[in-house]
Amino acid sequence: MKSYEIYDNDNGIEIGCLLYYEKDKCFIVELRDTVDEWTAPLLFSGFVKKGIYTIPRDISLLWVRERIIPSGRQNISMILKNHRLKEYDEMKFMEISEGRSSQDSMFIRKIDILPGYVQNRMNKNLSGVFAIEDRKCICFFADGTTRRIDLRDMYEIPLADKIINNESLFKSICLGSGGYYLTFNDSIDIPARLLYNAGVSLNVTKAEFVAFVKNSILDTTETGKLLSCSRQNISYLVKSGQIKPIKKEVMGNLYLKDDVQKSRW
């Protein structure tokens, strides 16, 4: 991750931070909570009015694109060549221009240490997620909080009905860059800030869950060792319903250790 201070030269104030996750090519803008609708970039004023200072990735990207040469510029190939770039890269152009625009006096400058307010907010970002039944999911947060969330209750989220009514879309759930959001098919996002106080709190940490997975799930080889039998015998036990795999794979299934143990009773 790269981080940059957003500074307003005319007003002599730091506006916030621009975060860039290189592998996902994802931008997130974190505004200082001292910024108001008049000092914030115009594109973000609507969020600031609502008390939202962590700007979603799509709006953060729009802000970046407003400040750089567009990819559709007629002579873009010559511009790329002049800057020794093999392909169009928003972050490279932001660095080259320092994010300066004729519309305001703001620019960016690289920083090595995140400000305290950004670090504090990141404590409420997601650290993990997995889907369960009935359009619910378990969310782990960086500060150790765990919540079970029913997406059917998140009706205020745009396009939430599509997630609820589409099984494959729901199952595409995964963690977004920096844990700032959940994303479905990389097209519908739910910000971590909306999830942090949603649903039901669970008295289990991610570390405890990982320990459970590590100690309770067996692959086919481990199952064979525990039962002292061959893969063929395991296949028979599965077909006869004596043990049920929790996940079927071509290279081998996964089993709950407790279920394997019960097959010996």
Side-chain angles (χ1 to χ4, degrees):
M1 180 192 73
K2 293 182 177 181
S3 54
Y4 305 81
E5 178 187 67
I6 303 172
Y7 193 80
D8 187 334
N9 201 42
D10 281 356
N11 293 313
I13 57 173
E14 181 197 341
I15 297 297
C17 279
L18 173 66
L19 308 179
Y20 180 61
Y21 292 88
E22 298 170 85
K23 291 184 178 180
D24 292 338
K25 295 186 176 180
C26 173
F27 294 93
I28 296 288
V29 171
E30 287 278 18
L31 297 175
R32 282 192 170 275
D33 55 15
T34 53
V35 170
D36 58 29
E37 60 187 280
W38 307 109
T39 53
L42 181 61
L43 188 62
F44 304 153
S45 60
F47 290 92
V48 173
K49 283 181 182 179
K50 298 176 183 177
I52 299 171
Y53 298 96
T54 299
I55 308 302
R57 63 166 172 162
D58 55 340
I59 307 302
S60 296
L61 177 58
L62 281 178
W63 182 76
V64 167
R65 286 179 172 171
E66 283 184 348
R67 312 185 74 80
I68 59 174
I69 297 168
S71 60
R73 178 71 67 85
Q74 188 173 6
N75 63 336
I76 191 64
S77 58
M78 183 61 68
I79 294 171
L80 292 173
K81 184 178 180 180
N82 290 341
H83 289 292
R84 298 180 180 180
L85 297 176
K86 294 182 179 180
E87 59 184 6
Y88 185 80
D89 187 315
E90 285 101 346
M91 192 66 250
K92 290 291 184 183
F93 280 115
M94 279 292 281
E95 291 176 329
I96 290 168
S97 67
E98 296 183 325
R100 296 181 185 272
S101 169
S102 60
Q103 304 302 314
D104 55 46
S105 62
M106 297 177 195
F107 65 94
I108 65 168
R109 51 192 178 194
K110 189 127 179 14
I111 55 175
D112 296 321
I113 301 175
L114 290 174
Y117 71 93
V118 176
Q119 294 183 42
N120 289 338
R121 290 179 195 171
M122 283 182 163
N123 284 332
K124 293 186 177 181
N125 281 3
L126 292 150
S127 64
V129 63
F130 63 90
I132 55 176
E133 76 289 340
D134 298 329
R135 300 300 189 267
K136 296 175 185 175
C137 61
I138 303 297
C139 293
F140 301 102
F141 295 87
D143 65 356
T145 299
T146 303
R147 303 191 75 85
R148 183 178 67 243
I149 297 169
D150 190 335
L151 295 180
R152 294 170 298 185
D153 295 333
M154 307 289 287
Y155 51 84
E156 75 276 17
I157 303 226
L159 303 178
D161 58 322
K162 288 194 173 183
I163 301 170
I164 294 166
N165 297 321
N166 188 316
E167 177 75 13
S168 60
L169 181 60
F170 169 69
K171 287 186 175 180
S172 72
I173 187 173
C174 68
L175 198 62
S177 299
Y180 272 99
Y181 55 92
L182 291 184
T183 187
F184 298 83
N185 198 32
D186 201 29
S187 59
I188 301 175
D189 296 348
I190 302 180
R193 62 179 174 79
L194 294 181
L195 298 164
Y196 189 79
N197 293 311
V200 179
S201 178
L202 301 179
N203 190 26
V204 59
T205 66
K206 184 179 179 182
E208 290 169 336
F209 173 74
V210 170
F212 166 78
V213 172
K214 182 178 179 181
N215 295 307
S216 301
I217 294 180
L218 306 176
D219 61 19
T220 302
T221 300
E222 292 169 324
T223 300
K225 288 181 179 179
L226 182 61
L227 297 178
S228 300
C229 67
S230 66
R231 284 176 173 263
Q232 289 77 10
N233 287 337
I234 293 173
S235 179
Y236 169 77
L237 292 173
V238 170
K239 289 178 181 179
S240 63
Q242 294 184 58
I243 57 173
K244 294 182 180 180
I246 58 172
K247 189 171 184 179
K248 294 183 178 181
E249 297 288 348
V250 175
M251 300 300 293
N253 299 331
L254 295 178
Y255 306 89
L256 276 176
K257 185 176 181 180
D258 289 343
D259 290 344
V260 174
Q261 291 277 20
K262 289 175 185 177
S263 71
R264 303 171 65 181
W265 299 349

